[in-house]
Amino acid sequence: MNSAALELAARDGETLTPPVTESPLSVRGMTVSYGEKAAVFSFDLSIPAGSMVAIVGPNGAGKSTLIKAALGAVPKLSGAVASFGQDVDAVRHRIAYVPQRASVDWDFPARVIDVVMMGLYRDLGLLGFARKRHRDQAIACLKRVGMDEFSTRQIGQLSGGQQQRVFLARALAQNADLYLLDEPFAGVDAATERTTIDVLKSLKAEGRTIVCVHHDLTTVTEYFDHVVLMNIRKIADGPVEEVFTADNLQATYGGRLATAQIDQLHLAST
Ligand code: ADP
Ligand code: MG
């Protein structure tokens, strides 16, 4: 992507308005660049309500950037974003975001219960003091992820899988309608993976929308019903059984996937 192409994308993007849709997250013509090179280029996306979506692509494909820019945490060069038909800022309370674990400073001194209570901040109000009811709510969320016995531990003292569960508990406390999780299964133990997928599936059963950046191609068909394949540009998106194909995967990974690898996946037939 050269700078001329970026400029063009930016100019095109100026006139864009978000599509009128009740989609939990829709993106139109979004380009994001940290410098000369686009991290996300000319991206269109409309996440179907109530779906469980995997965002899949190689390292450096712009997956984290796509989510962060959609949430306004990273500046966009161009493009429009809407959430539930509104500006993201207007519906932030309906969105829960779980960052990639590697991007969090775990020396931050906070107890597990405090981290989960951050998810209740709207409910806590301006005074910000927690009542017993809020503590009970936070403990209930920790229980759902099997971490209630760790409530007074320092977050930095937990294993990676345990930290991931605490973040999931905080997202649960937010009682959101749209959950965005960046690689929730990366580097976690099997029990945490199981707990996480069970919790996410129960959220989906409640009608909420889940979007995960996901790196493990072998679990895409089992865990998700919708997939977005990307490598800076969008390669394909749609129901897993339609777009999770060998051709689309090769296009996404630039032909770097071995046939043997592809054969192990439960792919949609082309
Ligand atoms: P993914 O999540 O798919 O691995 P990222 O969105 O993290 O990809 O990164 C996309 C590209 O943008 C990569 O080339 C990465 O090196 C670059 N990048 C990400 N964050 C920054 C940043 N804060 N500053 C500069 N470059 C960045
Ligand atoms: Mg990432």
Coordinates of all heavy atoms in Angstrom, one line a residue, residues 34 37 39 58-65 100, ligand 1:
Y34 N -0.6 3.2 10.5 CA 0.3 3.7 11.5 C 1.4 4.5 10.9 O 2.3 5.0 11.6 CB 0.8 2.6 12.4 CG -0.2 1.8 13.1 CD1 -0.7 0.5 12.7 CD2 -0.8 2.3 14.3 CE1 -1.6 -0.2 13.4 CE2 -1.8 1.6 15.0 CZ -2.2 0.4 14.5 OH -3.1 -0.3 15.2
K37 N 2.3 2.5 5.7 CA 1.6 1.3 5.3 C 0.3 1.1 6.0 O 0.1 1.4 7.2 CB 2.6 0.1 5.8 CG 2.3 -1.2 5.1 CD 3.4 -2.2 5.5 CE 3.0 -3.6 5.1 NZ 2.1 -4.2 6.1
A39 N -2.7 -0.7 7.8 CA -2.9 -1.9 8.6 C -4.2 -2.5 8.3 O -4.4 -3.7 8.4 CB -2.8 -1.5 10.1
P58 N -3.6 -13.9 9.2 CA -2.3 -14.1 9.8 C -1.8 -13.0 10.7 O -2.5 -12.0 10.8 CB -1.4 -14.1 8.5 CG -2.2 -13.4 7.5 CD -3.6 -13.6 7.8
N59 N -0.7 -13.2 11.4 CA -0.1 -12.2 12.3 C 0.1 -10.9 11.5 O 0.6 -11.0 10.4 CB 1.2 -12.7 12.8 CG 1.1 -13.6 14.0 OD1 0.1 -13.5 14.7 ND2 2.1 -14.4 14.2
G60 N -0.3 -9.8 12.1 CA 0.0 -8.5 11.4 C -1.1 -8.2 10.3 O -0.9 -7.2 9.6
A61 N -2.1 -9.0 10.3 CA -3.2 -8.8 9.2 C -4.1 -7.6 9.6 O -4.9 -7.2 8.7 CB -4.1 -10.0 9.1
G62 N -3.9 -7.0 10.8 CA -4.7 -5.9 11.1 C -6.0 -6.2 11.9 O -6.9 -5.4 12.1
K63 N -6.1 -7.4 12.5 CA -7.3 -7.8 13.2 C -7.5 -7.0 14.4 O -8.6 -6.5 14.7 CB -7.1 -9.3 13.6 CG -6.8 -10.2 12.4 CD -6.7 -11.7 12.8 CE -5.6 -12.0 13.7 NZ -4.2 -11.8 13.1
S64 N -6.4 -6.8 15.2 CA -6.6 -6.0 16.5 C -6.9 -4.6 16.1 O -7.7 -3.9 16.7 CB -5.3 -6.1 17.3 OG -5.1 -7.4 17.7
T65 N -6.2 -4.1 15.0 CA -6.4 -2.7 14.6 C -7.8 -2.5 14.1 O -8.4 -1.4 14.4 CB -5.4 -2.4 13.5 OG1 -4.1 -2.6 13.9 CG2 -5.6 -1.0 13.0
Q100 N -6.4 -8.0 23.9 CA -5.4 -9.1 23.8 C -4.6 -9.2 25.1 O -4.1 -8.1 25.5 CB -4.5 -8.9 22.6 CG -3.9 -10.1 21.9 CD -3.4 -9.8 20.6 OE1 -3.6 -8.8 19.9 NE2 -2.6 -10.8 20.1
Ligands
ADP1 P1 -3.0 -8.5 14.1 O1 -3.8 -8.3 15.3 O2 -3.8 -9.1 12.9 O3 -1.8 -9.4 14.4 P2 -2.3 -5.7 14.3 O4 -3.6 -5.0 14.1 O5 -1.8 -5.9 15.7 O6 -2.4 -7.1 13.6 O7 -1.2 -5.0 13.5 C1 -1.3 -4.7 12.1 C2 -0.1 -4.0 11.6 O8 0.1 -2.8 12.2 C3 1.2 -4.8 11.9 O9 2.1 -4.6 10.8 C4 1.7 -4.1 13.1 O10 3.1 -4.2 13.2 C5 1.3 -2.7 12.9 N1 1.0 -2.0 14.2 C6 0.1 -2.4 15.1 N2 0.0 -1.5 16.1 C7 0.9 -0.5 15.9 C8 1.3 0.7 16.5 N3 0.8 1.0 17.7 N4 2.2 1.4 15.9 C9 2.8 1.1 14.7 N5 2.4 0.0 14.0 C10 1.5 -0.8 14.6

